[in-house]
Amino acid sequence: MASVLAPDPTGPVSDRRDQAVRAAVQQELLTETEPVAALLDIAGIRASAAALTAAFAEVTDAPVLHAFAVKASPLVPVLRLLHEAGLGAEVASPGELALARAAGVPPERIVLDSPAKTPAELREALALGIAVNADNPQELARLDGLTAAGATAAPLGLRVNPQVGGGAIGALSTATATSKFGVALRDEGARAWVVQAFLARPWLTRLHTHTGSQGVPLDLMAAGVRAAYELAEEINAAAGRRQIDTIDIGGGLPVNFASDEETPRFADYARLLAAEVPGLFDGRYGLVTEFGRSLLAKHGTVLARVEYAKSSGSRPIAVTHAGVQVATRTVYDQAAWPLRIVAYDPRGDRKAGPPVEQDVAGPACFAGDLLAVKRPLPLLAQGDIVAALDTGAYYFAHHYAYNSLVRPGVYGFIGRADGSVAFATVRGPQTVEEIVGEAGGGHPDALLIT
Ligand SMILES: *Cc1c(COP(=O)(O)O)cnc(C)c1O
């Protein structure tokens, strides 16, 4: 496992990161009392947003809404930064919708996709004019009722599961034969049903598909998009008009967790789609994309102090403050979600020394709370700092409240011309008072009823 991860990254990205780590220590974002903190590379996020926009502009003149999948980084200033960079928001819960609105994303740049939307959510979305992709026939029936009750400006669509197969990570593969998402297109009678469902609903104008996330190969993603495109063509031919005017191709571009290299690139995927599904880009259809991880993952870093360095069974173990609460997927599934770890000294300088196989442990009280196992790193000592790289999506913004560990502060950073690094607070560290409050601390007697 460790061998696939670049042990000692060098290059412009790592230089920027090293500079930020040093500045974070100097500016006391990481201290004895705040021993874990998360950094976001603002320049990197802007560059990824620009790369996505440019990738599709290169292959089509059609209008494209790049709706960032809010679940990948549900932080209001991040959504605002992406909005300023020209992106919209894909939301899948009332909370995510509220975050997008708090960030100032206008309704016409929001897409609602959850598989379990309540009647109230649907009503709100239609009232606001937010695009909705229905997941299933029962949800379409709800939309029938709501559209009959009054006109809406909201573009409405249907999610289909092309059933093209799964990727390397089962839990993130949404186009398997039995996936819970969308209308399973290859099930008996389903395709004909979908065509009829559109013909019966002139207001249904979009098709949506999302083939999966990390672990799904590009050609499988493209096959899913092609299936949606071919279905749109079939429906429009049956309707005798361009009823479907927009195809939402979902997100899911995988991220390279093994080095600082950003591969595959948005441009690779856009070109592959242009080759595999040329009709999608000829201007007859508007497009929506929903990338999440590929926009944010590479731009986040968790920093944690080494509280103790010990050994057990002759295995060196660095006990740090970053574990399951900030890297839940990695801790529970090391094989699927390995993270690169970089060692820094207490001043935030890159630590040198011969690689020693050691465990990098988290603070939680269960034996499996390990960020890395037998990882060759310079031998970590008390007071050192470890950095868990590529954690900008689905990691520190997805706090797991085990052991009532506080949510760490999240800080954006940007390098200045004079060589200094400026930080902006995205989210301050949670306090223990907040933890007590959220744990019923305001009404300790609640269960003393008889
Ligand atoms: C999770 C999700 C996305 C984003 O996936 P990434 O792998 O983060 O790009 C997009 N669309 C839908 C419907 C999703 O569920």
Side-chain angles (χ1 to χ4, degrees), residues 67 69 71-72 90 92 113 159 172 174 181 208-210 212-214 248 250-254 289-295 393-394:
K71 77 168 183 272
E90 186 263 356
D113 273 346
R159 178 166 182 173
L172 272 64
T174 47
F181 293 106
H208 174 220
T209 192
H210 169 68
S213 295
Q214 190 69 20
D248 181 336
L253 192 73
T289 74
E290 305 171 343
F291 296 101
R293 179 179 289 105
S294 48
L295 282 161
Y394 303 100

Side-chain angles (χ1 to χ4, degrees), residues 350-385:
R350 193 80 81 85
K351 194 160 172 154
V356 176
E357 282 191 352
Q358 56 200 301
D359 288 358
V360 180
C365 294
F366 67 100
D369 187 29
L370 303 169
L371 267 190
V373 178
K374 285 180 77 175
R375 183 68 58 85
L377 291 169
L379 188 63
L380 288 159
Q382 196 169 27
D384 282 347
I385 295 163

Side-chain angles (χ1 to χ4, degrees), residues 159-168 172-179 181 183-187 191 209-213 215-230 249 251 269 273 276-277:
R159 178 166 182 173
V160 293
N161 169 11
Q163 291 168 299
V164 290
L172 272 64
S173 297
T174 47
T176 57
T178 58
S179 160
F181 293 106
V183 176
L185 212 46
R186 292 182 184 174
D187 282 13
R191 192 177 184 93
T209 192
H210 169 68
T211 299
S213 295
V216 176
L218 290 197
D219 55 350
L220 196 65
M221 292 170 61
V225 172
R226 184 169 55 228
Y229 166 76
E230 284 168 357
I249 64 171
Y269 184 44
L273 288 177
E276 295 288 314
V277 203

